[in-house]
Amino acid sequence: MATSELVDPGDVVRTYDDDSWADDAPTRGVETVVESGHVLAFPRLAFALADDERRFLDPKWADPKAKNVSVRWPSGELRGALGSADELRALRAMIVRFAEQSEALALRLFPHYRGHLRRGNTSFRPTDVVARVRSWRQDDTRLHVDAFPSNPMQGTRLLRVFSNVNPSGEPRRWRLGEPFEAHARRYLGAIRRPLPGSAWLMHKAGITKRHRTEYDHVMLQLHDRAKADLDFQRGGPQARVDFAPGTSWVVYSDQVLHAAMGGQHMFEQTFLLDVEHLREPETSPLRTLERLLHRPLR
Ligand SMILES: [Fe+2]
């Protein structure tokens, strides 16, 4: 087995001492840190569960047919959960509180995004990462940048807030990989342009929710080529990082190479942000790929 090239976790992860989600904690104005591909880690920022919410730390609440328990926005609808009406109301309230606290945190850390950050799905993942049997393309234990076949982002950024609420001391174990530009250069030469008319056809047939731009095509290719490349998975630049229970972390998951290697009981909030509203739009995957390919991609 090839020895992995090392990525220094200290180069990728920036750690902050904040212990509150609200405005009384010190860190703010760190847009350029997260935009340059760092993971912002908060080892003292726990998402607190009420005593009667601890019962939800059990996979039995997750519908086995669904990927996660989630609350969708703007409707606020709870999906993927099993339980009585009362139980589901309490479960939803817990997830909504995570959404609200994450949003307060994001707007404090990134005041430049105020008025532009859009709330995406909030998910609660009570199941073990490695318990899911999946195809290689859906295997998130392989390093990847986030890109979705049916949900083209058209350049819109994916900012994610995670929180490990494991009650038995188990960390969320991740691998982190090389910087986005180096990763794009690794595969870009082999990626062909999409077939003319294919984006129109996929939208028309309901395969994609909206037009799959060339940006989405390239991002999906990067996602798939990295996951299919076992030499890269084993021997590519990477670092192991553990997020202990009580830790929250914030990352652009469309930019930072990541893999979830283990852990159970986590919350995740997705935010969407148009490239134009970044502090430094040129650091985005869209602008990076356009610079490398010498043409607009959307
Ligand atoms: Fe991912």
Side-chain angles (χ1 to χ4, degrees):
M1 189 174 123
T3 316
S4 304
E5 290 175 58
L6 286 181
V7 167
D8 182 352
D11 286 345
V12 186
V13 180
R14 291 280 184 273
T15 303
Y16 300 90
D17 219 22
D18 304 38
D19 60 3
S20 164
W21 297 84
D23 247 2
D24 53 350
T27 307
R28 57 198 73 231
V30 288
E31 293 89 346
T32 57
V33 183
V34 74
E35 289 175 15
S36 59
H38 289 103
V39 177
L40 313 188
F42 300 86
R44 300 177 62 208
L45 188 56
F47 179 63
L49 302 188
D51 285 343
D52 69 341
E53 289 174 337
R54 301 199 173 276
R55 61 188 158 142
F56 295 128
L57 299 176
D58 189 317
K60 75 174 185 186
W61 302 97
D63 182 346
K65 295 193 291 291
K67 196 175 161 191
N68 295 308
V69 178
S70 65
V71 170
R72 306 298 180 97
W73 303 100
S75 69
E77 179 199 354
L78 177 71
R79 293 219 201 150
L82 302 170
S84 71
D86 272 359
E87 290 164 340
L88 293 181
R89 200 172 302 123
L91 178 59
R92 179 182 174 279
M94 175 181 74
I95 299 172
V96 168
R97 192 171 75 253
F98 183 75
E100 289 166 351
Q101 296 196 349
S102 297
E103 194 161 294
L105 173 71
L107 293 176
R108 167 161 62 80
L109 297 177
F110 318 122
H112 187 74
Y113 302 166
R114 198 170 279 276
H116 305 294
L117 202 62
R118 305 196 301 278
R119 195 189 279 185
N121 295 340
T122 316
S123 75
F124 171 52
R125 306 176 186 183
T127 47
D128 198 312
V129 162
V130 291
R132 299 189 203 138
V133 180
R134 341 189 92 214
S135 70
W136 66 267
R137 191 174 270 117
Q138 293 177 319
D139 179 2
D140 287 338
T141 68
R142 302 183 190 210
L143 285 164
H144 65 282
V145 284
D146 285 347
F148 317 111
S150 63
N151 191 13
M153 298 311 297
Q154 304 182 332
T156 296
R157 302 304 311 276
L158 283 166
L159 179 69
R160 292 187 149 165
V161 177
F162 298 92
S163 209
N164 183 359
V165 293
N166 188 283
S168 47
E170 190 185 355
R172 199 76 178 178
R173 293 189 298 280
W174 273 26
R175 290 187 291 152
L176 294 167
E178 62 199 347
F180 182 83
E181 181 167 341
H183 188 63
R185 287 180 188 276
R186 182 183 292 275
Y187 297 114
L188 220 42
I191 297 176
R192 302 276 160 269
R193 290 195 191 206
L195 292 173
S198 60
W200 179 85
L201 203 62
M202 283 186 287
H203 189 202
K204 192 83 178 163
I207 296 167
T208 53
K209 291 182 192 169
R210 60 191 78 81
H211 184 82
R212 184 186 286 178
T213 63
E214 191 177 356
Y215 168 77
D216 295 296
H217 170 76
V218 173
M219 290 296 283
L220 270 177
Q221 285 281 315
L222 290 177
H223 172 277
D224 289 359
R225 284 172 187 271
K227 281 191 174 176
D229 184 344
L230 295 181
D231 287 337
F232 170 70
Q233 292 295 331
R234 277 195 292 262
Q238 56 191 279
R240 290 180 178 277
V241 177
D242 283 358
F243 299 101
T247 302
S248 298
W249 62 105
V250 183
V251 61
Y252 272 115
S253 64
D254 55 356
Q255 176 177 11
V256 174
L257 267 282
H258 61 282
M261 306 312 293
Q264 185 176 5
H265 304 302
M266 185 180 71
F267 284 86
E268 180 262 328
Q269 173 65 54
T270 296
F271 294 101
L272 307 172
L273 185 74
D274 291 333
V275 167
E276 293 71 18
H277 298 302
L278 293 165
R279 172 70 77 179
E280 294 181 337
E282 65 277 14
T283 61
S284 65
L286 175 67
R287 298 279 183 259
T288 302
L289 294 171
E290 287 180 336
R291 180 162 43 77
L292 295 175
L293 289 169
H294 311 289
R295 63 176 186 272
L297 292 180
R298 64 170 184 181

